[in-house]
């Protein structure tokens, strides 16, 4: 493993550890991942996808499923209209709209292609409303998050050369001046 790959692996492992420590994720939450492997390696988004980087990211975020029993959704690139790779049972349970395509590195992105090849029964869905997410390389996962998205700040905010941002969601606050809210969000 090259020094660059070791750093990428260390970066993503720290981020996954931060997510696990934060206690913001609950069983069956949908966790969306948008990832530019090109950006991670210091190249322009969409220009130099890396299957090796994608595999490293996939292995790391799979720990979230193992520890928190989450539903993962991997966002494709713009060439597949930012569709998402999910397990078929997620699509069925959440009544998502399936679309027909198979992500490949040049149309879908290396991360989505990797996820599609590693999941048990992957399908592509048009959209999702996730409970939390990880965006590596500014891939614009916001369209797939529930309202209201709340940014998180971790000490580790890069993976390789790409910026990473994090968000959880919370229910909308409704009411007004007379409304009362719980003192601690659950």
């Amino acid at each position: 493993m090259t020094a660059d790959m070791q750093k990428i692996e260390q970066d993503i492992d720290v981020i996954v550890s931060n997510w696990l420590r934060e206690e913001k994720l609950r069983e069956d939450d949908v966790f969306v991942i948008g990832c530019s492997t090109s950006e991670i390696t210091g190249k322009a988004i969409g220009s130099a996808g890396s299957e090796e980087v994608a595999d490293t990211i996939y292995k790391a975020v799979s720990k979230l499923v193992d520890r928190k029993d989450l539903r993962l959704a991997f966002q494709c690139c713009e060439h597949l209209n930012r569709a998402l790779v999910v397990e078929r049972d997620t699509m069925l349970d959440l009544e998502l709209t399936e679309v027909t395509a198979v992500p490949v590195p040049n149309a879908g992105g290396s991360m989505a292609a990797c996820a599609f090849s590693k999941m048990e029964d992957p399908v592509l869905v048009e959209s999702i409303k996730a409970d939390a997410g990880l965006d590596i390389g500014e891939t614009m996962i916001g369209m797939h998050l529930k309202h209201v998205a709340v940014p998180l700040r971790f000490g580790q905010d890069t993976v390789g050369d790409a910026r990473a941002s994090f968000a959880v969601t919370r229910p909308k606050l409704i009411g007004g001046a007379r409304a009362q809210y719980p003192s601690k969000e659950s």
Side-chain angles (χ1 to χ4, degrees):
M1 182 181 293
T2 67
D4 290 342
M5 281 306 300
Q6 286 176 339
K7 179 172 178 355
I8 291 165
E9 186 172 5
Q10 289 170 352
D11 291 349
I12 193 64
D13 284 344
V14 168
I15 287 168
V16 168
S17 293
N18 286 335
W19 272 108
L20 292 170
R21 189 174 42 257
E22 278 294 311
E23 296 294 323
K24 301 262 187 207
L25 303 172
R26 293 181 295 237
E27 184 177 325
D28 281 335
D29 275 357
V30 175
F31 190 87
V32 64
I33 298 106
C35 176
S36 169
T37 60
S38 299
E39 290 273 335
I40 290 171
T41 61
K43 307 288 192 280
I45 195 167
S47 67
S50 168
E51 293 174 38
E52 182 181 18
V53 170
D55 187 59
T56 298
I57 303 298
Y58 187 86
K59 287 176 184 170
V61 297
S62 292
K63 294 175 190 172
L64 293 172
V65 174
D66 296 340
R67 297 274 301 279
K68 293 289 188 175
D69 202 22
L70 303 177
R71 298 170 183 264
L72 295 181
F74 290 87
Q75 179 181 270
C76 294
C77 74
E78 66 182 292
H79 297 101
L80 292 184
N81 297 326
R82 306 234 187 270
L84 301 119
V85 178
V86 298
E87 292 284 5
R88 183 174 302 280
D89 64 345
T90 296
M91 177 195 68
L92 295 172
D93 290 348
L94 301 179
E95 299 179 358
L96 303 173
T97 302
E98 185 176 4
V99 293
T100 304
V102 173
V104 295
N106 289 346
S110 294
M111 186 74 253
C114 175
F116 199 87
S117 73
K118 292 186 178 292
M119 287 182 161
E120 286 183 33
D121 190 9
V123 294
L124 221 56
V125 297
E126 186 172 35
S127 64
I128 203 164
K129 290 297 179 189
D131 300 288
L134 165 60
D135 189 326
I136 306 170
E138 300 177 10
T139 62
M140 305 301 188
I141 64 167
M143 69 180 75
H144 296 302
L145 292 171
K146 291 179 181 174
H147 291 120
V148 172
V150 178
L152 293 177
R153 302 285 187 250
F154 295 148
Q156 179 70 42
D157 63 356
T158 59
V159 177
D161 290 334
R163 286 190 281 190
S165 54
F166 322 93
V168 293
T169 61
R170 65 158 173 77
K172 294 177 182 180
L173 300 176
I174 61 168
R178 295 183 186 185
Q180 296 198 9
Y181 305 105
S183 60
K184 182 180 177 187
E185 290 185 79
S186 54

